[in-house]
Amino acid sequence: MNKVVKQVTENLIERSRQTRSEFLNRSRSQAAHGKNRAGLSCGNLAHAVAASCNKETILNLVNSNVAIVSAYNDMVSAHEPYRHFPDIIKGALTKLGHSAQVAGGVPAMCDGITQGQDGMDISLFSRDLIAQATAVSLSHNVYDSTLLLGVCDKIAPAMLMGAMSFAHLPTAFVPVGLMSTGISNEEKTSVRQKYLAKEVGIETLQKMECSAYHSHGTCTFYGTANTNQLVFEAMGLMLPGSAFVPPDSQLRQLLTEEVAVKVASSTLGSSNYRPLYDVVTEKNIINGIVALLASGGSTNHTIHMVAIARSAGILLNWDDISQLSGAVPLLVNVYPNGSEDMNAFHRSGGVPALLKRLNEGDFLNRDVLTSFGQFNDQFKTPYIENDRLCWNDSQGSNNGSVIALSGECFQETGGIKVLDGNIGRCVIKVSAIAKECRKVKAPAKVFTSQHDVEKAYQAGELNQDCVVVVSHNGAASNGMPELHKLMPILANVQKAGFNVALITDGRLSGASGKVPSAIHMSPDAARGGAIALIRDGDIVSLDCETGSVNNLSDVTGREALKVDTESQQFTFGRNLFVLARNNVSSAEEGASFIV
């Protein structure tokens, strides 16, 4: 096994020994109660089956009753297909004498809709809210296993965090698959930049956006939603090869039926019992991080994976991720790292092909369990023969321009790096940044809002070498919004020939693109972070090679910039999250108010 991966894994196990033991003791104590329904009174059970068509099945404790926790709504493209999934799941189980109930629905925000809008200020906090809602959904204790119907940015990590409070139950994700490819990513980026440069009008921009996002399924670029799917499949939390199968295909329906049958046959008392706590372990967390880095996935997972791990008693930290990034090669070349989208990744062999390539390099912990099988089962790919679901062993990548072939890579180190210096600690996605752009030393241009950056750009104030600093956008300030408005702006500045970089305590997801963007700065400005000491004209240095980020100017005696962000948080529902802002942990600790 790769020495770095082995050492990081061992360090994580040792660091987590006490907290993990406490978590396992709690989970095993829950399992020791036996079948949950057995402890309910007759009145409890009567309420639970009152509206069910399968009363006798649920009342019979021999049968399995599967909890469906769904993030369905018909506005978010990736969740709209879930409308029909409960019926598919129930139909598959009824044939075998089992049952399923929709235990609860959780909210599903789309950052693509709230980007640059007030709703983005509650987006990150929705993760912990969804985790709580998942626990509430399972709290009726009439279920023997859990299926999580969630895909996108905060939703899937949140559902897993919530399910960890019922980790004695067998649990799996049910993905929906990818939206078909609309237009190329180059065209999408080009039109956005031209609009900002006033070379095309809003009608052209709107037409392009609707051509890019045109149907149901997950968006086709490699952002947070698709990173969720790739990482969770790599952790064995869904059927192998299932993450990116298209929504309307026969294969998708068969996979949904199969995951229902599998989870119903993995319950307490059966020979196949596989509780969630046996799947989400230190070793599988590391496997997920390795897959994240090798694929150049979303920077949001430097927050989400820390929070997920902590919900399972595992003390993952940024140093673990940074050390792994120095050893794990970049093996995937999709947008924003490359030009192809995730449909091309799926056609090239998908997650099984990536895992096979990682295993070839000894980058994975092999002594792990998946929700329904063993480590080697993750190298299988599904197909249909005579209308039946079948499985083949993955042959690896069939397109070396998308997934690296045996012995090859696109970059010798992973896609995400931790930077450290006198400004604080942060993360940066380096996989899409050209080597000549990975070192920037320039005067600071300081802002506290992405909207003010846009105004400065339109006024011609960014036509110079500069490090754009956007402070007071951390979780404690305004919920740590994603600052996607900045990317076309800074890309245009870079395209004009200037050296440009971004430093912020806000977020950017997987879409930071070609501009070096040091994000999730910790401590953030509202918690006394040195980012609040930077002023216009300070010389700031960002170096992706050495992993450093520093203010080279003297700040002795300087007071931190103070911004009253709280007064801006009392419309559009943001007032309901004041407790979250006051109690949230740092980005490095998972930006959570519940773990």
Side-chain angles (χ1 to χ4, degrees), residues 10 32 46 49 91 103 198 201 207 219-220 239 250 279 285 310 312 321 340 351 371 387 463 483 531 543 546 556:
E10 290 174 352
V49 303
K198 299 184 177 179
K207 183 179 179 181
C219 303
T220 59
L239 289 174
Q250 182 186 5
V279 180
I285 286 284
R310 293 192 176 211
I321 298 172
E340 296 284 1
V351 180
S371 289
D387 293 327
N463 295 326
L483 308 177
I531 189 173
D543 191 329
T546 63
T556 303

Side-chain angles (χ1 to χ4, degrees), residues 264-275:
S265 64
S266 305
T267 56
L268 183 68
S270 74
S271 60
N272 300 320
Y273 179 49
R274 185 64 53 81

Side-chain angles (χ1 to χ4, degrees), residues 68-91:
I68 301 171
V69 182
S70 177
Y72 162 73
N73 65 50
D74 65 5
M75 180 270 296
V76 177
S77 66
H79 292 93
E80 189 277 338
Y82 282 135
R83 176 200 303 259
H84 305 294
F85 277 42
D87 288 339
I88 295 171
I89 292 165
K90 291 177 182 180

Side-chain angles (χ1 to χ4, degrees), residues 46 89 258 290 293 462 584:
I89 292 165
E258 179 73 1
V290 167
L293 296 168
L462 300 183
V584 68

Side-chain angles (χ1 to χ4, degrees), residues 109 111 120-129 154 300 303-304 475 479-481 507 584 590-591 593:
M109 285 186 68
D111 288 358
M120 180 56 81
D121 292 359
I122 63 177
S123 174
L124 180 60
F125 292 142
S126 76
R127 185 196 64 190
D128 288 14
L129 174 68
K154 317 302 172 301
N300 273 327
I303 298 175
H304 297 329
M480 205 178 185
R507 294 184 296 126
V584 68
F593 58 84

Side-chain angles (χ1 to χ4, degrees), residues 204-519:
T204 299
L205 178 66
Q206 187 64 70
K207 183 179 179 181
M208 178 280 294
E209 296 288 4
C210 287
S211 297
Y213 307 105
H214 62 92
S215 183
H216 60 193
T218 59
C219 303
T220 59
F221 72 95
Y222 193 35
T224 307
N226 287 324
T227 304
N228 287 335
Q229 305 311 294
L230 188 150
V231 169
F232 291 169
E233 184 177 325
M235 291 175 63
L237 289 164
M238 59 180 71
L239 289 174
S242 67
F244 302 118
V245 173
D248 297 321
S249 63
Q250 182 186 5
L251 183 55
R252 170 55 65 203
Q253 172 150 344
L254 291 177
L255 286 166
T256 301
E257 293 172 350
E258 179 73 1
V259 74
V261 172
K262 289 280 191 184
V263 83
S265 64
S266 305
T267 56
L268 183 68
S270 74
S271 60
N272 300 320
Y273 179 49
R274 185 64 53 81
L276 182 59
Y277 64 73
D278 275 348
V279 180
V280 180
T281 64
E282 296 93 334
K283 291 182 178 181
N284 248 339
I285 286 284
I286 292 297
N287 285 355
I289 296 293
V290 167
L292 166 71
L293 296 168
S295 60
S298 170
T299 52
N300 273 327
H301 285 73
T302 62
I303 298 175
H304 297 329
M305 291 300 285
V306 170
I308 289 167
R310 293 192 176 211
S311 72
I314 300 168
L315 302 181
L316 181 74
N317 62 39
W318 279 1
D319 290 327
D320 297 326
I321 298 172
S322 188
Q323 290 172 44
L324 290 171
S325 187
V328 176
L330 181 66
L331 301 176
V332 175
N333 188 40
V334 292
Y335 184 82
N337 302 337
S339 58
E340 296 284 1
D341 67 11
M342 290 302 289
N343 283 297
F345 173 80
H346 180 60
R347 291 192 300 269
S348 300
V351 180
L354 172 61
L355 292 179
K356 183 171 183 177
R357 174 67 184 83
L358 284 167
N359 187 49
E360 171 192 278
D362 294 325
F363 291 108
L364 297 172
N365 289 289
R366 298 184 177 96
D367 52 338
V368 296
L369 298 173
T370 68
S371 289
F372 309 118
Q374 311 295 320
F375 174 75
N376 287 335
D377 293 324
Q378 297 183 91
F379 307 134
K380 296 184 181 298
T381 57
Y383 70 98
I384 297 174
E385 186 174 291
N386 297 325
D387 293 327
R388 294 175 64 87
L389 180 64
C390 302
W391 303 87
N392 270 334
D393 290 333
S394 171
Q395 300 304 303
S397 172
N398 59 52
N399 185 344
S401 67
V402 177
I403 302 175
L405 300 175
S406 176
E408 298 181 1
C409 67
F410 298 108
Q411 183 177 293
E412 292 185 356
T413 56
I416 295 174
K417 192 162 188 172
V418 175
L419 304 183
D420 199 348
N422 64 16
I423 301 175
R425 283 165 59 84
C426 59
V427 297
I428 189 165
K429 184 172 180 176
V430 296
S431 49
I433 305 171
K435 288 188 177 181
E436 62 271 18
C437 296
R438 294 183 181 182
K439 295 182 181 181
V440 178
K441 183 168 74 171
K445 299 284 287 185
V446 178
F447 305 89
T448 58
S449 164
Q450 61 180 328
H451 309 298
D452 291 338
V453 177
E454 183 179 29
K455 292 174 186 175
Y457 170 75
Q458 298 290 1
E461 296 172 7
L462 300 183
N463 295 326
Q464 62 179 81
D465 290 352
C466 60
V467 174
V468 172
V469 177
V470 184
S471 67
H472 294 85
N473 277 260
S477 292
N478 60 352
M480 205 178 185
E482 291 187 351
L483 308 177
H484 284 296
K485 268 193 170 185
L486 300 177
M487 284 302 96
I489 294 169
L490 299 185
N492 275 358
V493 175
Q494 187 184 67
K495 188 177 178 181
F498 298 109
N499 294 318
V500 63
L502 170 69
I503 296 176
T504 181
D505 46 11
R507 294 184 296 126
L508 266 176
S509 161
S512 53
K514 302 180 186 304
V515 176
S517 303
I519 60 179

Side-chain angles (χ1 to χ4, degrees), residues 509-568:
S509 161
S512 53
K514 302 180 186 304
V515 176
S517 303
I519 60 179
H520 306 173
M521 185 62 72
S522 297
D524 63 34
R527 296 284 173 82
I531 189 173
L533 295 174
I534 305 174
R535 298 291 184 270
D536 281 343
D538 284 358
I539 302 301
V540 174
S541 170
L542 182 154
D543 191 329
C544 298
E545 304 299 333
T546 63
S548 62
V549 56
N550 289 291
N551 186 352
L552 304 181
S553 300
D554 185 7
V555 299
T556 303
R558 187 181 291 179
E559 290 192 10
L561 179 66
K562 297 188 184 303
V563 178
D564 180 14
T565 56
E566 196 56 38
S567 65
Q568 303 166 23

